Amino acid sequence: MGSFSIWHWLIVLLIVVMVFGTKKLKNIGSDLGSAVKGFKDGMKDGSSAEDKPAAPAGQVTNTAASEKTTIDVEAKTKS
């Protein structure tokens, strides 16, 4: 009872195909494959970003953040 034979796995596979259908299983497989590919690409991009030298302390590198309009507000307290 500890291990399953090939016949057990074939019966389980047959039941899964009957319940979900081959088209849905194909879509699940392609979605899973694209997710794994995206994860691998992300890991490659992450490791190359660590190899780049860091920007100097006083330098702003994100131009999108510097172009945003900000409003500085001072809190007024009652004296």
Side-chain angles (χ1 to χ4, degrees):
M1 174 143 180
S3 65
F4 291 106
S5 69
I6 188 71
W7 296 110
H8 290 109
W9 290 114
L10 288 175
I11 292 170
V12 169
L13 179 64
L14 178 68
I15 292 171
V16 168
V17 168
M18 288 174 55
V19 170
F20 292 108
T22 56
K23 186 174 182 180
K24 189 161 190 154
L25 289 175
K26 180 183 174 189
N27 291 341
I28 291 172
S30 63
D31 290 344
L32 183 63
S34 64
V36 169
K37 184 178 179 183
F39 179 75
K40 286 181 179 179
D41 291 342
M43 292 301 291
K44 288 179 184 176
D45 292 343
S47 64
S48 64
E50 293 174 358
D51 296 340
K52 293 179 183 177
Q59 184 177 1
V60 176
T61 57
N62 190 358
T63 58
S66 63
E67 292 175 0
K68 292 182 181 177
T69 305
T70 59
I71 300 173
D72 293 329
V73 179
E74 294 181 13
K76 294 182 181 180
T77 58
K78 294 182 182 179
S79 303

